[in-house]
Amino acid sequence: MTVTALDRFDAVFAALSDPTRRAIVQRLAEGEATVLELAEPFPISLPAISRHLKILEQAGLISRRRDGQRRPCRLQPEPLVEIAAWAEHTRAAWEQRLDRLEAHVHRSAARTRNPSRPEAR
């Protein structure tokens, strides 16, 4: 994994650390929406919603395009797919380590219960 990938992950995790931004991402998973549509459920100003959208856009999680007078936002799933792959790789590595630790504990316990028996590896 390169430094730029780690920087991207930091930006995505930072963007998703806010519950309003997570709710916006969740809403956009259902389909594109305008700023007004995204702002409706929140008791905050439109400029505040725009700041949240800017952070999500900088993290690569959403894109905005111009459609006449509308400027709909769309979810960009690629950063989430990358993080899911990283998390799966990390989970698999830890699972292997924990399996080795469990085997070691079982071997150690068997030696403690029966110290005269030679160790099987």
Side-chain angles (χ1 to χ4, degrees), residues 19-35:
T20 300
R21 292 191 289 267
R22 287 193 304 272
I24 290 170
V25 167
Q26 188 172 2
R27 165 54 187 87
L28 290 174
E30 298 169 8
E32 66 179 38
T34 65
V35 175

Side-chain angles (χ1 to χ4, degrees), residues 38-108:
L38 293 171
E40 184 193 337
F42 302 106
I44 58 178
S45 68
L46 281 177
I49 289 292
S50 290
R51 286 191 294 275
H52 283 298
L53 293 174
K54 184 177 181 179
I55 291 168
L56 290 169
E57 194 170 22
Q58 288 171 341
L61 289 165
I62 68 166
S63 63
R64 295 192 256 189
R65 62 181 177 80
R66 195 162 288 286
D67 181 17
Q69 299 236 339
R70 298 178 64 227
R71 203 156 172 228
C73 300
R74 173 180 289 159
L75 180 65
Q76 297 298 316
E78 294 82 11
L80 297 173
V81 170
E82 287 179 21
I83 286 176
W86 169 81
E88 176 56 28
H89 172 72
T90 302
R91 185 203 58 77
W94 274 106
E95 194 171 274
Q96 290 173 352
R97 290 177 183 151
L98 291 172
D99 287 347
R100 288 194 309 264
L101 176 61
E102 181 181 28
H104 174 73
V105 168
H106 285 303
R107 283 192 308 272
S108 295

